[in-house]
Amino acid sequence: MPPPAMAQPFHVMTKPSAPLCNLDCHYCFYLEKERLYPGTTDWGMTDAVLEAFVRHHIDAHAGQASVAFAWQGGEPTLRGLAFFERVVALQAQYANGLRVENALQTNGLLIDDRWATFLAEHDFLVGLSVDGPEALHDRYRRDRGGQPTFAAVMRAFETMARRGVALNTLT
């Protein structure tokens, strides 16, 4: 039996890759969360958890016009495109007439044409993390090898813009 419909819509931020990230930002407090679970090697949300989450989150919004999903991290694109293809398939399966909205916050390092095409086709609103001008961004947002990331973030921005992805920045 589905849970009763909520009187008010609510928002859940989902971290399908837990604390995993391909950056080592100078100010990040989140990467240290890996140490809370020694010996953990598989941080990814399982298919069973994903399906239960999607189904229950949609059911909890019964009677509303729409349901919103927010995907954040660490870095959620580390789960891979196949994971998000499964997300939209499950959303379609359980939507029951609700309009489904997806937002994805990303550092952009893994965004390529395939990702951008998928995000545009499925109307994801993408927040791209960029810490201002190149010198400032590269001072604080470096990859795990210590390399600057501004150029890669700008390539992701241009790729998504070219593909028509709804886009904003988190700065």
Side-chain angles (χ1 to χ4, degrees):
M1 172 183 280
M6 302 301 294
Q8 296 291 319
F10 62 97
H11 193 77
V12 175
M13 189 181 312
T14 309
K15 298 179 177 284
S17 57
L20 298 183
C21 189
N22 47 1
L23 291 185
D24 189 12
C25 297
H26 177 75
Y27 52 78
C28 184
F29 64 91
Y30 205 70
L31 291 177
E32 69 191 39
K33 304 301 183 207
E34 290 181 53
R35 291 194 297 268
L36 295 175
Y37 302 93
T40 300
T41 57
D42 185 4
W43 292 91
M45 179 184 282
T46 66
D47 191 62
V49 170
L50 174 63
E51 183 167 2
F53 168 64
V54 168
R55 182 170 40 89
H56 290 302
H57 190 56
I58 289 171
D59 285 348
H61 285 80
Q64 303 292 323
S66 65
V67 57
F69 289 83
W71 306 96
Q72 297 207 0
E75 175 52 40
T77 61
L78 288 172
R79 291 295 292 131
L81 189 53
F83 175 85
F84 285 94
E85 290 168 338
R86 178 77 172 135
V87 164
V88 297
L90 288 167
Q91 290 170 337
Q93 178 181 341
Y94 292 112
N96 296 324
L98 278 117
R99 183 179 71 250
V100 176
E101 301 169 351
N102 283 289
L104 176 77
Q105 187 65 42
T106 181
N107 61 37
L109 297 189
L110 298 179
I111 301 296
D112 58 14
D113 281 323
R114 284 187 61 225
W115 266 105
T117 299
F118 169 84
L119 295 167
E121 285 176 358
H122 297 284
D123 298 317
F124 274 67
L125 171 62
V126 176
L128 186 63
S129 298
V130 58
D131 280 5
E134 184 171 7
L136 184 61
H137 177 96
D138 283 345
R139 179 174 179 187
Y140 295 106
R141 295 183 67 82
R142 298 205 168 239
D143 68 18
R144 291 293 184 112
Q147 296 303 305
T149 61
F150 185 83
V153 172
M154 290 300 103
R155 277 191 303 275
F157 179 85
E158 291 165 3
T159 299
M160 288 188 285
R162 190 172 55 253
R163 294 286 185 217
V165 176
L167 202 53
N168 61 43
T169 63
L170 178 63
T171 304

